[in-house]
Amino acid sequence: MPTAGWARYGGEEFVLAVFDQPSETLDELAEAIRQAVQELRIDHAFSPVADKVTVSIGIYSAAISNGIQLSYFIGQADEALYEAKRSGRDTFIKREELSESLA
């Protein structure tokens, strides 16, 4: 497993930080997490979206550079998460910074 760590970030949100991995690996990891939750087949009787619990995932991929605050990275991932929720849930959305110059 790559260098990683996870933590609860809110009532129903979690942060998984993965370092030194190519963007494609993040896609594979997100899809594996989504499928693992789907395979649990946990009933979700009051959901307007699905009768089983699903997971929406926001990914932010960028090179870490000096001066960039963790809150910026989390904010970008959070925006991707809400984009995944707006697009129908049970999916993942990834945002990437293709250069090392970050706002």
Side-chain angles (χ1 to χ4, degrees):
M1 176 59 142
T3 303
W6 65 274
R8 185 173 211 120
Y9 184 65
E12 60 183 27
E13 295 179 355
F14 295 85
V15 170
L16 172 62
V18 180
F19 301 96
D20 298 326
Q21 293 297 304
S23 179
E24 299 79 25
T25 300
L26 301 178
D27 293 353
E28 293 167 5
L29 181 58
E31 182 58 21
I33 292 168
R34 192 195 68 73
Q35 286 182 10
V37 170
Q38 187 178 54
E39 289 171 6
L40 292 172
R41 303 195 48 77
I42 300 169
D43 288 334
H44 198 329
F46 301 107
S47 171
V49 178
D51 62 345
K52 303 292 181 196
V53 170
T54 63
V55 63
S56 299
I57 301 171
I59 300 170
Y60 179 65
S61 174
I64 296 175
S65 62
N66 292 333
I68 301 303
Q69 296 190 9
L70 180 60
S71 61
Y72 176 79
F73 286 91
I74 291 174
Q76 292 297 310
D78 201 43
E79 286 183 29
L81 166 63
Y82 281 95
E83 187 177 338
K85 288 182 176 185
R86 285 189 302 270
S87 70
R89 301 181 183 246
D90 195 25
T91 190
F92 68 90
I93 298 291
K94 179 172 58 180
R95 293 176 165 218
E96 293 184 271
E97 294 285 338
L98 299 176
S99 71
E100 290 190 28
S101 68
L102 301 174

